[in-house]
Amino acid sequence: MSIVSLSTGEPTCTFEDVKAIAGANGFTIPPGSVDETAFHLFANAFDATCEAVSGLPEYEDPRLKPVAVDGGERKYYRPDANENPLNAWAHKTTLKASDAKGPLSGRTIAVKDNVSVGGLPLGLGCSPSLLKDGKHPISPIDAVVVQRLLAAGATIKGTATCENLSMFALSYTSHSGVVHNAWLPGYATGGSSSGCGALVSIGDVEEARRSGKDSKDYSLGEGVDMAVGGDQGGSIRLPAAYSGIYGLKPTHGLIPYTGIAALNPLIDHTGPMTRTIEDAALMLGVMAGYDGIDPRMTPESPMPDKVPNYAGDLQAWVAEKDKVGEWSAEGAAKGLRIGILKESFDVVGLDPSVADIVKAAAERFRSLSAEVNEISVPLHKHGAAIWTIAARPMMPHFVGGNPPDLLSHTMPHLQPNPINQNYFDTLAHRNPAAVNVLMNAAHMQRKYGPSLARKAHSHVWELRAAYDKALEEVDVLLTPCNNTVGPKQPASTAKTEENANGFSERLMDLFEPAIGNTLNTCSFNVTGHPAMSMPVGWGKVKEGGGRLPVGMQVVAKRWDEANIFRVARAWEVGGRWVDS
């Protein structure tokens, strides 16, 4: 009996199929040969195995079953422009776990539109034409972070607009249109967690209005206390910097990424975006900890019951300093060692005024009695290049819906269509960066083969070691986060009678404002160090009148988020950023 008859009884692969399969691997099998007959048999046996798995029903891991919520049924809607003037909401809902009480009780949260929330669409900021059946899937699962936030008493108010496929650092590539900065509509709020940045910052804008510090009266819509962002190269920290809030990319592997659409496990991170440093610490404590599913987590990742009490530890540290008379504008940072990363001020595109604001913010630590020194990490200037080459080849792999090499939960409900002409036509003038990723990966393979990515991975270890060595001398490294204040939304995104969808053929108008935005952020995605953007002042916009926030990035040793929180909290004793 043949192998085929053991499986299906009838061959499904022809000799032409065998020829094509061999050609795809760069070789030929002599036609009519014994070899061809054998591999034809093997191909049919393998195809029968494929069909056996293809016929199985989709499996939904019971560990990701949606949390029971008040009211039972999960309902959602897409808010109109009157309710959503900043275009920061993807979908709105109200989800609160039944009888849940915890540290986030009474707090409202939005999650980036690449995070699975059971019963809600998973939009990814992209056209539904890029997905199976031309529809955004309704998620049958709750991401682990969603489960944990609901269990801690939080109320999830909806999903926040994100940039197209999470592949842009500004806020005008989403399929739903531009996301406006809450401080100054018409200007970018940063990406790719653009809606998260806008929604969290609404509370600060409203407070500024109540206190008379902001006289503008444009509509903002409903905001939230906190948000769950995603970060592969700066996509939490940049919108936080542009929006004047706190955005933490935690240590790689500290928070499980299970149930969140990936770009590359090497660089995937999720983390809190909040109005205060205390809320960032509180939210991290809820979200962190091993989940038994995510391969990004390692033996270094703490079990849930071993996650530090970041908020409590910060409170205790402040109390101890207050007890000894140090919690003052003269002594709050005493004992902290601050490093100003020299090379971070030499990156291309850094606005001199932004550099001056960050330097002044860093120098404040001297008056707070910290030890402040300039630290040089020469390899930092190559960090963005190392990140690009190390991560780029695998990104098309995930955009195309392929699973990673290590076992993980692959979100079977999310099935992208094959990358083809429709992909290019849909994205080239909406988010050219998403097309460029494919072009880059193909160029690398065609010209260099896999050796270049392997080399870049070895330099990731070198880069991590370089930062580690610097962090032996200091507790944190400080860098600029956003190179400029939020730029004006490109004219080519404006809706006109001739251009109803709001995007023209001026492709470079979209690309140019984002060039260089991640030069100080992306290297910490490959090295895994925790990095947070904190607001430290105002910068003037270039076009017209107005001002927008400037962020300073604080980087610590891996697994040392506690020092990031301490440094930021001590800085605030010298005065809040909004008053600068």
Side-chain angles (χ1 to χ4, degrees), residues 65-274:
K65 183 179 179 180
V67 174
V69 296
D70 289 346
E73 183 182 0
R74 296 188 175 198
K75 299 179 180 179
Y76 68 89
Y77 65 97
R78 168 71 185 169
D80 62 21
N82 290 327
E83 187 180 356
N84 191 22
L86 302 179
N87 192 37
W89 289 104
H91 295 91
K92 295 192 74 174
T93 187
T94 299
L95 303 179
K96 188 176 186 302
S98 304
D99 302 320
K101 294 181 180 179
L104 296 181
S105 293
R107 313 305 293 276
T108 58
I109 291 180
V111 302
K112 185 178 179 180
D113 196 20
N114 71 337
V115 178
S116 296
V117 180
L120 270 65
L122 189 65
L124 310 180
C126 73
S127 166
S129 71
L130 299 180
L131 305 173
K132 183 181 178 182
D133 300 326
K135 298 178 181 178
H136 292 126
I138 303 299
S139 178
I141 64 171
D142 278 344
V144 170
V145 292
V146 170
Q147 292 180 338
R148 290 177 176 179
L149 292 167
L150 287 171
T155 299
I156 291 181
K157 299 295 291 182
T159 53
T161 305
C162 71
E163 297 310 293
N164 222 302
L165 300 176
S166 295
M167 289 192 197
F168 209 71
L170 293 175
S171 58
Y172 47 78
T173 70
S174 176
H175 181 68
S176 67
V178 302
V179 178
H180 295 285
N181 195 303
W183 291 102
L184 199 59
Y187 289 79
T189 190
S192 62
S193 306
S194 46
C196 293
L199 292 174
V200 174
S201 64
I202 284 173
D204 283 333
V205 178
E206 290 175 335
E207 184 177 308
R209 289 179 179 182
R210 287 191 296 268
S211 64
K213 295 174 183 176
D214 192 309
S215 60
K216 304 180 188 70
D217 60 358
Y218 49 82
S219 178
L220 294 169
E222 182 183 20
V224 290
D225 299 319
M226 309 166 172
V228 177
D231 193 313
Q232 279 88 12
S235 290
I236 286 174
R237 290 158 289 165
L238 289 168
Y242 285 119
S243 301
I245 63 173
Y246 297 84
L248 173 68
K249 179 206 78 64
T251 303
H252 190 252
L254 178 57
I255 299 179
Y257 204 80
T258 306
I260 305 176
L263 284 183
N264 186 333
L266 173 68
I267 56 175
D268 291 331
H269 297 74
T270 186
M273 301 174 70
T274 63

Side-chain angles (χ1 to χ4, degrees), residues 103-104 107 226 248 276-286 307-319 561-563 565-566 569:
L104 296 181
R107 313 305 293 276
M226 309 166 172
L248 173 68
T276 70
I277 195 65
E278 291 87 353
D279 278 355
L282 184 66
M283 196 173 174
L284 179 63
V286 169
V307 171
N309 179 0
Y310 298 105
D313 290 348
L314 177 61
Q315 187 178 28
W317 180 76
V318 171
E561 281 77 4
N563 254 333
F565 297 142
R566 292 171 181 173
R569 185 66 185 90

Side-chain angles (χ1 to χ4, degrees), residues 289-448:
Y290 184 71
D291 72 340
I293 305 175
D294 185 8
R296 297 166 188 79
M297 310 193 92
T298 73
E300 293 180 283
S301 304
M303 298 299 289
D305 62 346
K306 300 297 182 183
V307 171
N309 179 0
Y310 298 105
D313 290 348
L314 177 61
Q315 187 178 28
W317 180 76
V318 171
E320 181 60 30
K321 292 188 76 67
D322 189 41
K323 183 179 178 180
V324 298
E326 291 179 358
W327 197 244
S328 66
E330 294 76 37
K334 186 177 181 180
L336 294 174
R337 301 173 301 161
I338 308 298
I340 301 173
L341 185 55
K342 176 180 180 294
E343 288 77 13
S344 70
F345 290 88
D346 298 328
V347 300
V348 175
L350 179 61
D351 187 305
S353 65
V354 169
D356 288 344
I357 291 165
V358 175
K359 286 179 179 178
E363 286 296 325
R364 175 190 284 188
F365 284 106
R366 294 188 195 277
S367 64
L368 293 164
S369 297
E371 177 186 328
V372 181
N373 291 294
E374 184 178 76
I375 299 292
S376 177
V377 181
L379 195 59
H380 179 76
K381 62 185 178 183
H382 296 295
I386 293 170
W387 170 83
T388 300
I389 303 304
R392 192 60 45 96
M394 289 295 289
M395 290 171 75
H397 185 76
F398 286 90
V399 172
N402 294 315
D405 293 332
L406 297 174
L407 181 64
S408 67
H409 190 280
T410 54
M411 300 168 60
H413 57 287
L414 177 59
Q415 298 185 38
N417 285 331
I419 295 172
N420 54 22
Q421 188 64 43
N422 177 63
Y423 184 95
F424 176 86
D425 293 342
T426 301
L427 291 172
H429 296 278
R430 175 68 71 167
N431 183 7
V435 176
N436 193 48
V437 162
L438 302 186
M439 300 289 286
N440 292 167
H443 173 77
M444 280 182 63
Q445 181 61 33
R446 182 171 177 267
K447 184 173 181 180
Y448 300 97

Side-chain angles (χ1 to χ4, degrees), residues 471 475-479 524 529-532 553-557 564:
L471 287 163
D475 296 313
V476 295
L477 295 170
L478 304 181
T479 82
F524 301 108
H529 291 85
M532 185 185 76
Q553 183 175 225
V554 187
V555 182
K557 298 179 182 71
I564 291 179

Side-chain angles (χ1 to χ4, degrees), residues 460-474:
V460 168
W461 291 105
E462 181 187 18
L463 186 62
R464 177 187 283 191
Y467 292 135
D468 285 345
K469 183 176 180 181
L471 287 163
E472 291 175 1
E473 300 178 41
V474 294

